[in-house]
Amino acid sequence: MIQSRLEAVRDRIHAACVASGRAPESVTLLAVSKTFGPHEVQEAFAAGQCTFGENYIQEAVQKITALAHLNLQWHCIGPVQSNKTRLVAQHFDWVQTVDRLKIAQRLSEQRPAGLPPIQVCVQVNVDAGPTKSGVLPADLPALAREVAKLPRLSLRGLMCIPEPASNFVAACVLFKRARGLFDALNEEGLALDTLSMGMSDDMEAAIASGSTMVRVGTAIFGGRHYPA
Ligand SMILES: *Cc1c(COP(=O)(O)O)cnc(C)c1O
């Protein structure tokens, strides 16, 4: 089941790349395994998937530890509070949700010496909703410049989670705004290679707008069941 769903998602990514004249290898698939167990992750791995995204730190650390022998790559895509930065710095390869300098500084300070720098995306609040996480577009360049200076972090790009749009064109407006911010930082010389946007329901619009990484949960693992 997971294998055939993964194949269907890869086909969608491929078709979306072709439709917008992009190379299919230009988009990475991150499998979002939150709420699913090591067994499902292993099943996806057996079908060739090696990069996984997790939202909840404690839950993720259990899975990462249980599956350490597989050498998977783990991305933190959930909010990171100050009291969780040490766990994140110890266990994850990537953090896509940095939206404050303080969190970035803690991750850099707490990254264990034996590990490579932690790979980071700054989360940007492209629709500028007041209650949402992510840095506002106006504050992004200053934060990105500061994050890029931290010794034990490697700034790789931007991540965004816009509100679900009612149609393809509306989704593209927000995704293209993120792409514009990404391009502007690169013009400044930051050398970013990752623009993480697009999920199960809107990956086509994200790819058409220049996403380089889609984060897909439901379309691979099925519906999630949260504990009551
Ligand atoms: C859960 C989640 C996803 C995956 O969403 P689906 O709609 O299940 O594909 C992607 N990104 C983030 C940040 C998430 O929290």
Side-chain angles (χ1 to χ4, degrees):
M1 195 64 168
I2 287 176
Q3 177 175 356
S4 60
R5 289 210 200 97
L6 250 179
E7 281 165 11
V9 169
R10 290 184 190 127
D11 288 346
R12 282 176 65 187
I13 293 171
H14 191 277
C17 286
V18 170
S20 48
R22 300 185 53 191
E25 320 80 63
S26 66
V27 178
T28 303
L29 172 58
L30 183 72
V32 177
S33 46
K34 63 181 178 218
T35 76
F36 293 94
H39 184 79
E40 283 92 347
V41 173
Q42 240 163 332
E43 209 177 317
F45 172 70
Q49 182 66 32
C50 299
T51 52
F52 293 88
E54 289 282 340
N55 290 57
Y56 312 106
I57 315 301
Q58 306 285 3
E59 177 201 332
V61 167
Q62 287 184 8
K63 259 177 265 186
I64 294 169
T65 308
L67 298 171
H69 58 288
L70 297 182
N71 276 319
L72 304 174
Q73 187 185 85
W74 294 95
H75 293 229
C76 176
I77 60 170
V80 179
Q81 312 300 333
S82 299
N83 62 356
K84 292 283 165 52
T85 51
R86 186 175 299 280
L87 267 181
V88 171
Q90 284 170 341
H91 292 278
F92 282 89
D93 303 291
W94 284 63
V95 182
Q96 297 198 5
T97 46
V98 168
D99 63 0
R100 285 180 290 155
L101 186 58
K102 180 182 167 207
I103 296 294
Q105 284 166 334
R106 290 176 67 94
L107 289 169
S108 183
E109 281 159 18
Q110 294 169 346
R111 184 65 165 170
L115 295 178
I118 191 156
Q119 310 296 300
V120 164
C121 291
V122 170
Q123 182 177 351
V124 55
N125 181 356
V126 274
D127 29 20
T131 60
K132 291 183 64 178
S133 37
V135 65
L136 290 172
D139 300 327
L140 170 66
L143 176 62
R145 277 179 224 126
E146 291 306 312
V147 170
K149 289 182 199 155
L150 293 170
R152 298 289 291 143
L153 298 189
S154 176
L155 178 62
R156 297 293 296 272
L158 303 181
M159 179 272 219
C160 67
I161 320 172
E163 287 302 308
S166 54
N167 61 59
F168 184 89
V169 173
C172 287
V173 169
L174 292 172
F175 288 139
K176 283 184 179 148
R177 193 175 295 165
R179 179 72 204 202
L181 296 168
F182 175 80
D183 290 341
L185 292 176
N186 274 333
E187 275 157 30
E188 264 195 39
L190 278 181
L192 308 180
D193 63 6
T194 302
L195 179 58
S196 170
M197 58 187 191
M199 317 201 291
S200 291
D201 290 336
D202 56 12
M203 68 178 103
E204 283 83 3
I207 291 170
S209 308
S211 169
T212 73
M213 182 181 288
V214 290
R215 309 177 307 267
V216 180
T218 310
I220 296 173
F221 296 104
R224 288 182 285 271
H225 302 283
Y226 292 92

